[in-house]
Amino acid sequence: IDFIILIFVFMNKYIFFAVVTLVFYACQKEEVNSQQFVANHFIGKWPLKKAIFKTTKNGVVTANDTLIYGLDSPAIVRRVDTVRFTDDGKCVKRGQALSYSIDANGDNLTYSSDSIGTWKIEFLRLKSIILTQEKTEKKGSDTFIYFKEEQLIK
């Protein structure tokens, strides 16, 4: 009986090492094209959950506004604006048909409209995306920073 237990323990060690070896080789690191990965993630409908607008003048916040869309809105139920991205580089945003592109590193999203411009992809998860945009403007001796953030969810 001791011999059978010894064989069983010995076989379990080999099975354990075989499984560890398989897992190690199965988890090899592969290079991922960031631009293609991000572009594929964007495809689909993304409802706008929240929009944040902040203006600072010489480092002091002069305007800070958060708009919450849909039923999560505390006071007014705002109609949900859905951004729809397609795999051919087209999108519909606020009822306007646009084209979009993602830079080679997958860090920025650029819309074809100059008024919308380029947004930094701040946060990218399975069911949420956060896009930010910041513009600095000098007016006389004052420096204004305009910050916008859009939170998209699936």
Side-chain angles (χ1 to χ4, degrees), residues 20-84:
V20 168
T21 304
L22 285 173
V23 168
F24 176 75
Y25 284 107
C27 296
Q28 292 292 330
K29 191 174 185 178
E30 287 187 37
E31 290 296 319
V32 175
N33 180 337
S34 298
Q35 180 184 26
Q36 191 62 41
F37 175 79
V38 172
N40 288 341
H41 186 73
F42 266 82
I43 296 170
K45 294 180 181 180
W46 291 90
L48 180 62
K49 178 182 180 183
K50 197 182 283 187
I52 299 170
F53 306 94
K54 184 166 69 169
T55 303
T56 60
K57 177 182 175 184
N58 299 325
V60 177
V61 176
T62 59
N64 194 1
D65 195 14
T66 301
L67 301 176
I68 301 172
Y69 292 87
L71 297 176
D72 292 337
S73 180
I76 302 168
V77 177
R78 290 185 179 81
R79 192 175 135 259
V80 175
D81 182 24
T82 301
V83 183
R84 186 177 303 121

Side-chain angles (χ1 to χ4, degrees), residues 23 26 34 39 41 57 63 76 78-79 91 94 105 107 114-115 124 134 141-142 152-153:
V23 168
S34 298
H41 186 73
K57 177 182 175 184
I76 302 168
R78 290 185 179 81
R79 192 175 135 259
C91 74
R94 293 187 178 95
N105 295 331
D107 293 334
D114 289 338
S115 63
L124 182 67
E134 189 173 299
S141 62
D142 297 326
L152 307 168
I153 57 165

